[in-house]
Amino acid sequence: GHVSWTPVLNAAVYYVDRHIEEGRGEKTAIYYLDQTFTYGQVAEMVNRAGNTLRSLGILREQRVLLLLLDCPAFAAAFFGAMKIGAVPIPVNTLLTPADYLYILQDSRATAAVVSAELLPGLLEVKHQLSYLQHILVVPPLENPQSFTVPTDLGLYDWDEALAGAKPFLEPEATSADEAAFWLYSSGTTGFPKGTIHLHHDMIVCSATYGRHVLNITENDITYSVARLFFAYGLGNALYFPFGAGAATVLNPYRPEPVKVLEIVQKYRPTLYFGVPTSYTAILQVPEAAQRYDLSSIRFCASAGEALPRPIFEQWLATFGLPIYDGIGSTEMAHIFITNKPGAYKAGSSGTLVPGYRARIISEGREVPVGEIGNLMVSGDSAAAGYWNKHEKSKETFQGSWINTGDKYYKDAEGYYWHVGRSDDMLKAGGIWVSPMEVENILMEHPAVLESVVIGHIDEDGLSKPKAFVVLKPGFEPGPAMVKELQNHVKKSAAPYKYPRWIEFVDSLPRTASGKIRRYVLRNLSTAVPAENSQAGA
Ligand code: 3UK
């Protein structure tokens, strides 16, 4: 028989070292606050990071958790780990200690690189960890000089460790098909799933969306409101610019609308990546177009959830720029259907990105144009599967096809229109919220008998969590109880998950078999504004 070997490919070499060989060593790779980093400097940082991890005994295939704000250390840790064949796992910085405990135990990461600001959350669960041995702490933004790493066993100062490491590093001869990085993705039931991406996956995204949609070149400057720990942000602000030898603007602070406008004015990015919530928030800034110069931007992208048509139109009217909405997923690494210059329809997700295939399936068959079905997608950036979640992997990864869980129809011109999810998942600001998680937390409150959480569409056309709550006898519904329950959720879940509205009901609608009829509440929720509801921040 014929024996074929998977080619040797180390994505860190493609994204970092290649630029030195191709003469871009002096070119700016990262703009960060008042610093700039050239590709030469980034390559050296990556090598020092890889050597640091190696000297701690981190081996090929071992996972390394990255709990980091957007900063140059992220790039160094991500590609440094990858260069030695280890597997970085960027994680959401807004999660709770319990979430980090789960992810660290599930992944069995042996090392973590953590921003000092986020360290307390990790230390809270450190005694419960079975696998984590080393924590490298990136000094804080405020008073980094006076920062000292707590003297706990296994804690190191990132800057000191890198300063003491060698600046040269031979890449591990990884194969194109071995794990390069993981990302955790949430679902309706159960814990988040470690989604395993391979060394070739990012390169496929660079060759598809990066080349055919963004048309990114080394003259571009990217800026993403979506953080690096999201699959969306990771492409936008790291591997798309690094794939082209372009520059990226990284900023560690919360992307408040005015801050975002200041960053655009200061660094003059050409490619801008937002989410519907951030576009909506910027449109609320008085006289934004008069006060801030956005003329550097040649392309505005949106993803994470559908961009409502009114937001597209207001943005175009205000800034003269169309927003190119596209759908991507953690499983596909990045965007596979999108609007683009010369081919867009406001309110749609656009057309297929070259390199991807899609099918809309209902009852086992592809549906005709105009009919709604479940969206399946195929492309070579697809993850290999979920870590240790066999049943969930089989549901999502079906041969070369991935079940997105989204309901779509396609029009006669090949544009895809999002009509909802086929599960109960909802998003807030483009981030997954599992209704069950919020329901369980509400149920822990002594006043709550039962509850249902759904996605409620606000006045901007964006979905946010809303709870229907049945109180136990003797508890008073009203604004005080709304606040109380909201605070209760904020205490035990990531802050973006709290219900923005709470409606008190006498009972929940159920089927004959006792299953809650969520769709009834969803319809009720859009038709009649809730009496007892109270809008949140
Ligand atoms: C939904 C959208 C309508 C959809 C992502 C760009 O969002 C990303 O990944 P996630 O794993 O979520 C995937 C799910 O989010 N969705 C995303 N974009 C859109 N729905 N219109 C859109 N434009 O339900 C999808 O299945 O968090 C986005 C790039 C990489 C990503 N991972």
Side-chain angles (χ1 to χ4, degrees), residues 165-230:
K166 286 203 216 73
F168 300 102
L169 172 64
E170 271 305 309
E172 188 78 26
T174 48
S175 97
D177 292 349
E178 77 181 79
F181 65 99
W182 295 7
L183 292 167
Y184 272 82
S185 170
S186 322
T188 356
T189 56
F191 290 104
K193 303 158 297 232
T195 308
I196 303 171
H197 277 288
L198 309 177
H199 274 268
H200 70 263
D201 294 356
M202 292 184 285
I203 298 174
V204 170
C205 292
S206 290
T208 55
Y209 185 80
R211 180 168 130 68
H212 292 288
V213 180
L214 296 178
N215 246 301
I216 188 167
T217 72
E218 64 175 297
N219 301 320
D220 280 304
I221 300 176
T222 59
Y223 173 50
S224 175
V225 169
R227 319 270 83 191
L228 289 172
F229 62 75
F230 291 118

Side-chain angles (χ1 to χ4, degrees), residues 25-321:
E26 297 302 313
K27 222 186 148 280
T28 299
I30 300 173
Y31 291 100
Y32 178 69
L33 305 174
D34 289 322
Q35 295 173 280
T36 59
F37 295 81
T38 64
Y39 272 99
Q41 289 170 319
V42 170
E44 188 180 317
M45 264 197 307
V46 165
N47 289 347
R48 289 178 185 273
N51 283 322
T52 297
L53 291 169
R54 215 175 236 173
S55 71
L56 291 173
I58 307 304
L59 302 172
R60 181 166 173 171
E61 291 175 21
Q62 286 185 341
R63 274 74 64 193
V64 178
L65 189 92
L66 308 190
L67 179 52
L68 292 169
L69 303 173
D70 281 17
C71 63
F74 188 113
F78 185 74
F79 287 119
M82 216 174 274
K83 197 167 175 180
I84 64 165
V87 183
I89 310 177
V91 288
N92 187 336
T93 55
L94 306 168
L95 300 180
T96 62
D99 295 322
Y100 298 128
L101 174 62
Y102 176 79
I103 291 172
L104 283 162
Q105 293 297 82
D106 179 66
S107 66
R108 303 178 203 141
T110 46
V113 185
V114 186
S115 292
E117 290 84 349
L118 305 168
L119 182 63
L122 199 61
L123 292 184
E124 226 175 275
V125 293
K126 189 168 172 270
H127 62 286
Q128 288 167 274
L129 298 170
S130 328
Y131 310 100
L132 189 73
Q133 293 170 31
H134 313 287
I135 303 177
L136 289 143
V137 186
V138 178
L141 293 157
E142 303 298 326
N143 303 318
Q145 308 84 350
S146 55
F147 173 75
T148 49
V149 172
T151 51
D152 278 46
L153 212 61
L155 261 65
Y156 314 87
D157 182 305
W158 170 261
D159 285 349
E160 274 174 27
L162 260 66
K166 286 203 216 73
F168 300 102
L169 172 64
E170 271 305 309
E172 188 78 26
T174 48
S175 97
D177 292 349
E178 77 181 79
F181 65 99
W182 295 7
L183 292 167
Y184 272 82
S185 170
S186 322
T188 356
T189 56
F191 290 104
K193 303 158 297 232
T195 308
I196 303 171
H197 277 288
L198 309 177
H199 274 268
H200 70 263
D201 294 356
M202 292 184 285
I203 298 174
V204 170
C205 292
S206 290
T208 55
Y209 185 80
R211 180 168 130 68
H212 292 288
V213 180
L214 296 178
N215 246 301
I216 188 167
T217 72
E218 64 175 297
N219 301 320
D220 280 304
I221 300 176
T222 59
Y223 173 50
S224 175
V225 169
R227 319 270 83 191
L228 289 172
F229 62 75
F230 291 118
Y232 178 48
L234 187 68
N236 302 341
L238 193 59
Y239 66 79
F240 288 138
F242 277 30
T248 184
V249 178
L250 297 182
N251 190 280
Y253 297 105
R254 258 182 74 122
E256 308 286 357
V258 167
K259 188 101 202 131
V260 169
L261 289 163
E262 286 169 0
I263 290 170
V264 170
Q265 176 152 301
K266 176 168 178 190
Y267 300 98
R268 303 192 58 73
T270 55
L271 302 172
Y272 176 83
F273 302 87
V275 295
T277 318
S278 68
Y279 282 112
T280 307
I282 290 173
L283 285 168
Q284 311 308 311
V285 175
E287 304 200 316
Q290 288 71 50
R291 288 164 54 208
Y292 299 94
D293 177 11
L294 273 65
S295 65
S296 62
I297 300 174
R298 69 168 174 86
F299 188 108
C300 290
S302 178
E305 62 185 323
L307 181 78
R309 191 190 171 110
I311 307 297
F312 174 95
E313 267 147 18
Q314 286 169 39
W315 190 266
L316 181 61
T318 308
F319 297 107
L321 292 161

Side-chain angles (χ1 to χ4, degrees), residues 332 336 352-353 355-359 376-382 399-402 404:
M332 290 307 284
F336 46 86
L352 271 176
V353 172
Y356 292 92
R357 293 183 296 157
R359 281 182 184 163
M376 309 282 292
V377 58
S378 172
D380 212 13
S381 62
S400 57
W401 292 92
I402 281 188
T404 62

Side-chain angles (χ1 to χ4, degrees), residues 185 231-232 302-307 325-331 333-335 349 404 406 408 418 421 427 430 432:
S185 170
Y232 178 48
S302 178
E305 62 185 323
L307 181 78
D325 187 11
I327 174 172
S329 73
T330 306
E331 289 77 5
H334 215 273
I335 292 171
S349 299
T404 62
D406 293 294
Y408 264 90
H418 188 252
R421 292 281 307 168
K427 284 199 157 185
W432 284 127

